Amino acid sequence: MKNDYSLNIEGLDLVIEYDKGSVKENQADRIQAYEIKAVREKTGMNRKDFAEWLGIPYRTISDWEHGERKMPDYVLRLIAYKVRMEYVEKKG
């Protein structure tokens, strides 16, 4: 069963779709994985290009998106801010 919710991180309006059955109530890491993926998808970049653009190792981005590693919340906000300021508003 698919579920989605709207999210606004640093001025980016995102709609995140996720499989409700795969996310338990206490799995904030899994939700965060959907959030970073939604931010990346807002740019239209693939994971490799996104990692290069941010200067973050590909493996780190991949682990965040798969929920294998948790990123600090402030990092997600900084990435979203950079996406909005340098990518979305310029492409506008």
Side-chain angles (χ1 to χ4, degrees), residues 30-83:
R30 193 71 217 139
I31 297 293
Q32 187 185 66
Y34 289 110
E35 292 172 344
I36 188 63
K37 184 176 179 184
V39 170
R40 177 181 58 81
E41 288 175 345
K42 189 78 170 178
T43 68
M45 290 185 213
N46 62 34
R47 210 174 283 135
K48 180 179 181 281
D49 292 340
F50 192 62
E52 288 176 6
W53 181 65
L54 290 171
I56 297 173
Y58 172 83
R59 180 67 187 254
T60 300
I61 296 289
S62 182
D63 286 351
W64 287 342
E65 284 193 15
H66 289 108
E68 295 170 8
R69 290 176 52 186
K70 182 175 176 9
M71 79 175 88
D73 291 333
Y74 73 90
V75 173
L76 178 61
R77 290 192 310 272
L78 288 171
I79 290 171
Y81 180 78
K82 180 176 173 73
V83 167

